[in-house]
Amino acid sequence: MNLQRVAAMIQRHFYLYQRSPPRIMEIFFWPLMDLLVWGFITIYLQRTQLNLPRFVLFFLGALLLWDLLYRAQQGISISFLEEVWSKNLLNLFVSPLRPCEFLAALMTISVAKMLIAGLASALMAWWLYSFNVFVIGVALIPFTLNLLVMGWSIGIISMSAILRAGQQAEVLAWGLGFLIQPVSAVFYPVSVLPAWIQPVALALPSSHIFEGMRLVLETGILPYDSLIKATLLNGVIITGAIAFFYHTLRVVKDKGLLIQRGTE
Amino acid sequence: MKQDTPPLALEVTHLTKSFNGVTAVNDISFTVSEGEIVGLLGPNGAGKTTLIQLLLGLITETSGTIHILGMDLKKDRSKILSQVNFSSSYVSMPTSLTLWENLNVFAKLYGIRDYKDQINRLLTLLEIHSLKDSLTRHLSSGQLTRLSLAKALLNTPRLLFLDEPTASLDPDMADKTRTLLKAIRDQYKITLLYTSHNMKEMQEISDRIIFLYQGKILVSGTPAAVLDHFKENSLESVFLKVARGGNAE
């Protein structure tokens, strides 16, 4: 792993963002919209259904954490698409940049995007609804790290799909995360889901993270079993996602599709 | 007296690439010596672009071997890629970055030590230094070609692959680019392997031409030898003869 090459790729994206207000706004816009729409709905529901325990806390906490995962995923897939859109992919693939260095750069960009969007959302939630996400306490760190890794996995899988199928698959860069949201126990527990789909939910790290978060908010106790399950599942999923990326790269090279991806 | 032969920049042995039963490159073998300018010529579908992609490791070969600068492309791809480069009129660079920023990123990817000096030198050589702070999206196609060439020369490559470098240029700019390529070869002693549909260009700057047809090498030699082989007086006539009449052998 050559860190200079990783840094060069990060710098390339820094250059891109420094003079692109729409791209910078995009980092903040959707979290803000989510927060406004769902935050006010939450307050409305809280006023009408007073029996719901810690409703604002659960819902806004879930919203903020979900957005962390989504930003982490976009940090990979959109950054990759930037190379496709600018027809720069071939220049990169004929340079000494190794695929692992390319991935490392995208992961670092993903961390930066997630942190910026996460901090901005946390500040807005505090300002608009007096909601302090840091009440989750120290558990926020392992939960956030797990969401980051899961976001990477989804990002790498969608990037690989785009590499294989071309720009017709680019909708996955925005949609794949939302595909798993219903079974990720983001806003409701796994037990709410039909029995037949619960095993799917339990196979995803995200459902353990969000279940764990609710437990922390309710009891103040860090559920180690949820955390361990999420971490182990994440280990499996990120390994699978990286293996899928390398496999796709081999297939794309074998079928001669790289030139199409680089010039379409 | 025994003459010193220049070392090989490229050695291709029995290279074959098939896609779903269609053979795009069919058992090709050839060598390119260091410092040579070799033009790959052939009608559409002859296998030129596939061959260049194979040589850059963008496509995996079905069989055969590729040695670049004495190294096996399969085993030493990253090491080889730090010593070769590529420019194509079909590949672009991020348009939201300035020329300087684009070259700065690639200089770091190629691990250039005195990258600032090198970038300044190349921008001056290619007559685009005054545009160094301009956004790439504001460049004309001629300027874009020069930027792409600057990127391709950043690491002072020992072997440079050019895929239709003058395809999008007007005759004046194409002529300047040809002059530039020869100057670059003389100044940097770079080996050039390039494709073009411009026959005049091929005849003018190539030391040797490899004529591809249906994935095979039809003939290889100096432009004069190729003309002699087909009993024609221009490469354009050769090209038309082959493209319209089979391999015309």
Side-chain angles (χ1 to χ4, degrees):
Chain A
M1 178 87 72
N2 181 314
L3 293 181
Q4 192 193 3
R5 292 198 287 258
V6 175
M9 282 305 295
I10 295 166
Q11 189 173 24
R12 174 257 186 279
H13 285 271
F14 173 73
Y15 282 146
L16 181 70
Y17 276 81
Q18 73 175 359
R19 66 169 64 89
S20 179
R23 284 184 175 88
I24 295 170
M25 281 307 298
E26 198 267 337
I27 296 177
F28 302 107
F29 181 77
W30 295 114
L32 175 64
M33 287 300 111
D34 279 347
L35 213 54
L36 286 176
V37 173
W38 293 106
F40 287 123
I41 288 174
T42 306
I43 288 173
Y44 169 69
L45 288 174
Q46 190 192 30
R47 284 177 187 164
T48 55
Q49 301 181 1
L50 294 173
N51 291 337
L52 283 172
R54 293 173 170 265
F55 193 77
V56 174
L57 209 58
F58 282 6
F59 207 88
L60 286 178
L63 198 62
L64 289 177
L65 290 188
W66 172 257
D67 212 66
L68 291 182
L69 185 149
Y70 193 61
R71 292 299 130 193
Q73 180 240 308
Q74 295 243 301
I76 301 269
S77 48
I78 300 296
S79 304
F80 171 73
L81 274 174
E82 293 282 4
E83 306 299 353
V84 176
W85 292 329
S86 60
K87 297 186 178 180
N88 191 38
L89 212 52
L90 286 191
N91 283 325
L92 297 177
F93 277 103
V94 299
S95 80
L97 183 75
R98 292 170 188 271
C100 64
E101 292 160 357
F102 184 61
L103 279 183
L106 297 188
M107 286 171 170
T108 312
I109 293 163
S110 154
V111 173
K113 273 191 170 182
M114 189 186 85
L115 285 177
I116 293 168
L119 283 173
S121 298
L123 278 173
M124 286 189 284
W126 179 70
W127 179 57
L128 289 168
Y129 312 111
S130 304
F131 171 71
N132 180 10
V133 71
F134 297 103
V135 293
I136 296 173
V138 74
L140 195 60
I141 297 169
F143 283 150
T144 303
L145 286 175
N146 268 294
L147 288 170
L148 173 68
V149 175
M150 190 170 174
W152 284 347
S153 303
I154 301 170
I156 292 169
I157 291 167
S158 52
M159 173 175 75
S160 306
I162 296 165
L163 197 57
R164 178 71 180 82
Q167 286 193 47
Q168 59 181 337
E170 75 177 37
V171 67
L172 292 175
W174 290 273
L176 196 58
F178 285 109
L179 197 66
I180 61 153
Q181 193 188 43
V183 284
S184 285
V186 183
F187 302 111
Y188 41 79
V190 173
S191 58
V192 167
L193 296 168
W196 61 270
I197 209 168
Q198 286 187 20
V200 177
L202 293 173
L204 293 172
S206 44
S207 53
H208 298 283
I209 296 165
F210 287 102
E211 293 272 41
M213 177 210 69
R214 276 188 288 273
L215 209 62
V216 172
L217 289 174
E218 203 162 9
T219 64
I221 298 165
L222 176 63
Y224 283 101
D225 59 331
S226 294
L227 200 57
I228 290 167
K229 280 178 194 164
T231 307
L232 289 175
L233 286 169
N234 257 330
V236 173
I237 290 177
I238 188 77
T239 306
I242 292 172
F244 180 55
F245 171 68
Y246 275 93
H247 168 74
T248 306
L249 208 52
R250 274 195 298 276
V251 171
V252 162
K253 281 186 175 186
D254 185 54
K255 292 185 178 295
L257 297 174
L258 212 47
I259 185 96
Q260 290 176 28
R261 302 296 164 263
T263 55
E264 66 187 359
Chain B
M1 205 168 91
K2 192 181 170 186
Q3 272 192 321
D4 281 341
T5 50
L8 292 179
L10 176 63
E11 185 177 12
V12 173
T13 314
H14 298 298
L15 189 64
T16 297
K17 179 64 192 177
S18 302
F19 299 105
N20 299 324
V22 178
T23 306
V25 171
N26 192 354
D27 196 25
I28 278 179
S29 297
F30 65 94
T31 58
V32 177
S33 300
E34 284 201 19
E36 251 192 313
I37 298 185
V38 174
L40 284 175
L41 190 60
N44 288 336
K48 304 183 297 291
T49 300
T50 304
L51 178 59
I52 290 228
Q53 287 178 57
L54 282 162
L55 300 178
L56 285 162
L58 294 172
I59 296 181
T60 316
E61 70 281 1
T62 304
S63 62
T65 58
I66 299 165
H67 282 84
I68 295 177
L69 306 169
M71 293 175 277
D72 188 336
L73 183 61
K74 252 187 180 168
K75 291 177 190 158
D76 301 305
R77 186 168 183 265
S78 192
K79 211 170 167 183
I80 289 170
L81 289 177
S82 67
Q83 296 179 61
V84 306
N85 216 315
F86 166 73
S87 172
S88 166
S89 53
Y90 305 116
V91 177
S92 185
M93 281 206 245
T95 54
S96 303
L97 273 61
T98 65
L99 274 72
W100 179 271
E101 289 166 348
N102 265 317
L103 294 175
N104 185 25
V105 168
F106 279 100
K108 287 172 182 170
L109 286 177
Y110 280 92
I112 315 298
R113 286 204 184 120
D114 302 320
Y115 68 92
K116 287 182 183 170
D117 288 346
Q118 177 74 335
I119 294 171
N120 278 320
R121 208 168 19 243
L122 288 169
L123 288 174
T124 305
L125 175 75
L126 294 158
E127 298 173 22
I128 47 175
H129 196 278
S130 59
L131 300 167
K132 73 183 173 77
D133 295 320
S134 304
L135 288 178
T136 303
R137 76 164 73 99
H138 294 147
L139 300 185
S140 68
S141 48
Q143 290 161 342
L144 278 172
T145 300
R146 281 161 184 255
L147 173 63
S148 180
L149 279 174
K151 189 281 294 182
L153 293 168
L154 270 173
N155 58 332
T156 322
R158 290 172 66 190
L159 176 58
L160 179 56
F161 296 96
L162 300 174
D163 192 8
E164 304 204 26
T166 57
S168 56
L169 303 180
D170 62 42
D172 174 51
M173 195 49 73
D175 184 61
K176 281 183 177 170
T177 306
R178 279 193 291 277
T179 308
L180 189 68
L181 286 176
K182 283 194 278 190
I184 287 165
R185 193 273 300 263
D186 295 341
Q187 189 173 343
Y188 292 94
K189 309 291 176 212
I190 291 173
T191 309
L192 285 177
L193 185 74
Y194 80 103
T195 70
S196 175
H197 279 122
N198 186 326
M199 302 302 124
K200 184 173 170 282
E201 178 176 298
M202 280 278 182
Q203 203 160 344
E204 197 180 311
I205 73 167
S206 303
D207 297 321
R208 188 154 60 93
I209 282 171
I210 295 176
F211 207 119
L212 291 173
Y213 183 72
Q214 293 184 342
K216 281 179 171 286
I217 295 177
L218 197 58
V219 62
S220 169
T222 62
V226 172
L227 295 180
D228 191 48
H229 178 89
F230 287 99
K231 312 243 181 297
E232 293 287 347
N233 55 13
S234 74
L235 279 180
E236 189 155 347
S237 311
V238 171
F239 188 92
L240 291 175
K241 193 172 186 178
V242 173
R244 291 175 182 173
N247 68 14
E249 288 276 52

